[in-house]
Amino acid sequence: MFRRNLLKSIQTLVLLLSIIGGVNVLVSITTLSPVFSTVSTSVDQGQLSEPSATNGRGSFLQQIEEFLAPSGYEQAREDPSYAINIPPTELGYSQFEPSDISIPANMGVVWFNDDDSQHSVTFNDTSPEAIDPGTIAPGGFFIHKFSTPGIYEYYDDQNPSAKGRINVGAEFESGQYMNMLVGGDALPFEAGKVGRTTFSFVPNDNVTTIPPSLSITYNVAIADSNGTELYSGQFDDSDGILDLELIPSSRSLSSSSSSSNQTTTTTTTASSNQTASSSSSSSNQTTASNFVTWGPDLTDQEGVASDGAYHVQGPVLTENEDYTITVSIASIDDTIQQQPPSDDFLLPSVNSTGTSLVPLVGDG
């Protein structure tokens, strides 16, 4: 079905569907027109908070207005990356899954209505920007690209008890080869209070052009404050920007475990809004058993090209200590990088005493 596929050329598809009347689909028009430039002028500067004692935690975190987007960034961000589901129910009280997320500015979100009843995405008047409510027919979807940082609270007017919250970040951390955009200004984080947070890794022009002809393959490793590797994984992304959500969880997870929005096997993982198989999995994990990985949220019609967020759940950001995430580019358009561009990014806690990064230490 279309809802499982990458939302490429969505303007043409919506126009075609409206003509033939075959599918009832609602799309937020404000998300379909280009709103970004090669600098971050798309972000509403008036919505950015002034630097405070909390924000002034070192030069490694910068405000989004300083972000110089690489060429092709606008095109790479045309399609949504993060998917929220409205699951089927016989009682008519479907909730948003997930209901509370943190994403970086300039990311698009798509809501899929899997229920047999009509639902809506209706934002409160307190939102940083005015968003027209969207009524979603069964099998339909609604899209919005969040350009203005701040907290967006919304509900389903068909079921007001169903509520959601999106925290759009206004910070990023720069590296030599790429930048890390921070979801919801989650850094520095406080263990037990930080929720699921998406980080976007955007290659610089000195590395490659985005979007790529085929895809970019990323290697990701996460280490604790001692430099001990906690997690490693590999991800393919067809738009060139790696969107990776970290979901702190102190409970033990294994390859046979499952949650409400994921299923795991020994060879591949899948979430409720995307299809994955052992022959076409877009991620390859070599990680401890207490982590679970799934994604991407969106794929192409062949189930190969990936253009959505990935999700990593496990014991990360669960202690008030600094973590390090190392991101390297293993291949570009199936061409292996002999000297992979690699950057270390700090994930500081509220107890952070500095901005120094601890070298990664292997298990051996």
Side-chain angles (χ1 to χ4, degrees), residues 259-303:
S259 67
S260 61
N261 63 335
Q262 78 200 38
T263 302
T264 64
T265 67
T266 56
T267 56
T268 185
T269 59
S271 68
S272 62
N273 57 301
Q274 120 266 322
T275 302
S277 67
S278 58
S279 61
S280 61
S281 176
S282 297
S283 62
N284 178 25
Q285 275 62 51
T286 56
T287 179
S289 59
N290 51 356
F291 280 86
V292 172
T293 303
W294 69 96
D297 282 359
L298 301 167
T299 61
D300 65 1
Q301 294 183 359
E302 290 74 31

Side-chain angles (χ1 to χ4, degrees), residues 326-344:
T326 301
V327 181
S328 59
I329 296 178
S331 67
I332 301 173
D333 294 332
D334 292 336
T335 300
I336 297 176
Q337 303 298 292
Q338 298 301 320
Q339 295 181 328
S342 180
D343 279 320
D344 296 331

Side-chain angles (χ1 to χ4, degrees), residues 32 44 70 83 98 138 164 197 211 257 290 296 302 307 312 354:
L32 299 180
D44 186 347
T197 303
S257 67
N290 51 356
E302 290 74 31
D307 194 25
V312 175

Side-chain angles (χ1 to χ4, degrees), residues 142-261:
F142 173 78
I143 299 172
H144 185 75
K145 184 180 292 181
F146 292 88
S147 303
T148 305
I151 295 177
Y152 297 76
E153 295 181 335
Y154 63 94
Y155 62 95
D156 179 0
D157 64 11
Q158 307 295 312
N159 172 29
S161 66
K163 299 179 180 180
R165 181 177 184 269
I166 298 177
N167 192 349
V168 180
E171 294 178 335
F172 74 101
E173 184 176 337
S174 62
Q176 181 178 0
Y177 301 104
M178 65 193 81
N179 292 309
M180 180 182 74
L181 279 61
V182 181
D185 298 340
L187 302 181
F189 71 90
E190 182 174 356
K193 292 185 177 181
V194 63
R196 49 198 311 157
T197 303
T198 300
F199 300 88
S200 297
F201 299 91
V202 185
N204 294 334
D205 281 326
N206 65 340
V207 175
T208 186
T209 300
I210 59 172
S213 299
L214 296 175
S215 66
I216 295 178
T217 300
Y218 289 90
N219 288 335
V220 175
I222 301 175
D224 63 14
S225 59
N226 296 318
T228 302
E229 183 177 293
L230 304 176
Y231 171 89
S232 65
Q234 187 173 88
F235 307 88
D236 287 336
D237 199 288
S238 59
D239 67 14
I241 299 175
L242 175 61
D243 297 313
L244 186 66
E245 182 184 53
L246 300 184
I247 307 173
S249 176
S250 57
R251 66 185 178 86
S252 178
L253 300 172
S254 67
S255 60
S256 60
S257 67
S258 63
S259 67
S260 61
N261 63 335

Side-chain angles (χ1 to χ4, degrees), residues 83-154:
I84 296 175
N85 291 327
I86 302 173
T89 177
E90 296 180 355
L91 301 177
Y93 298 107
S94 293
Q95 303 295 313
F96 297 106
E97 294 183 357
S99 61
D100 193 342
I101 64 173
S102 293
I103 62 172
N106 302 343
M107 177 179 286
V109 176
V110 54
W111 287 261
F112 288 115
N113 183 6
D114 294 334
D115 195 20
D116 293 332
S117 301
Q118 178 174 284
H119 293 278
S120 83
V121 176
T122 304
F123 288 88
N124 294 347
D125 294 336
T126 57
S127 295
E129 61 179 280
I131 305 174
D132 292 336
T135 301
I136 318 174
F141 61 88
F142 173 78
I143 299 172
H144 185 75
K145 184 180 292 181
F146 292 88
S147 303
T148 305
I151 295 177
Y152 297 76
E153 295 181 335
Y154 63 94

Side-chain angles (χ1 to χ4, degrees), residues 30-37 41-43 74 106 145 147:
T30 59
T31 68
L32 299 180
S33 57
V35 292
F36 305 117
S37 64
T41 53
S42 63
V43 177
E74 176 185 328
N106 302 343
K145 184 180 292 181
S147 303

